[in-house]
Amino acid sequence: AAYSRISATTDLPIVTGFGIRTPEQAGEAASLSDGAVVGSAVVDIIADNLGADGRGTPDIVSKIAAFVSDLAKGVAAGGRRA
């Protein structure tokens, strides 16, 4: 319902966000709109993987990539709006 109201006023992509942390949540968000926005969950991964010097640990990029990959699988499983 909200998507229909918003899409009636713009041709721009409409994305859903806030609190998306699991593949299931990403799939649901993407199925209800044109995409899903994930920000704070990635920031949390970064914050949890800083060394004592405040720099990212060597595996920080692979942890973020694995998280994003899991979310992408959730989007694919949840389907996209036609």
Side-chain angles (χ1 to χ4, degrees):
Y3 179 87
S4 297
R5 288 193 312 265
I6 295 168
S7 65
T9 63
T10 184
D11 291 330
L12 295 172
I14 301 165
V15 296
T16 305
F18 299 107
I20 297 173
R21 295 183 176 280
T22 68
E24 295 79 17
Q25 290 171 335
E28 181 179 6
S31 72
L32 297 172
S33 61
D34 296 313
V37 176
V38 180
S40 58
V42 172
V43 171
D44 288 345
I45 292 170
I46 293 168
D48 291 344
N49 289 281
L50 297 178
D53 61 358
R55 295 180 180 262
T57 58
D59 61 343
I60 198 167
V61 172
S62 62
K63 287 183 178 185
I64 293 169
F67 174 71
V68 172
S69 176
D70 286 344
L71 293 181
K73 290 174 189 169
V75 168
R80 290 187 182 262
R81 229 184 17 81

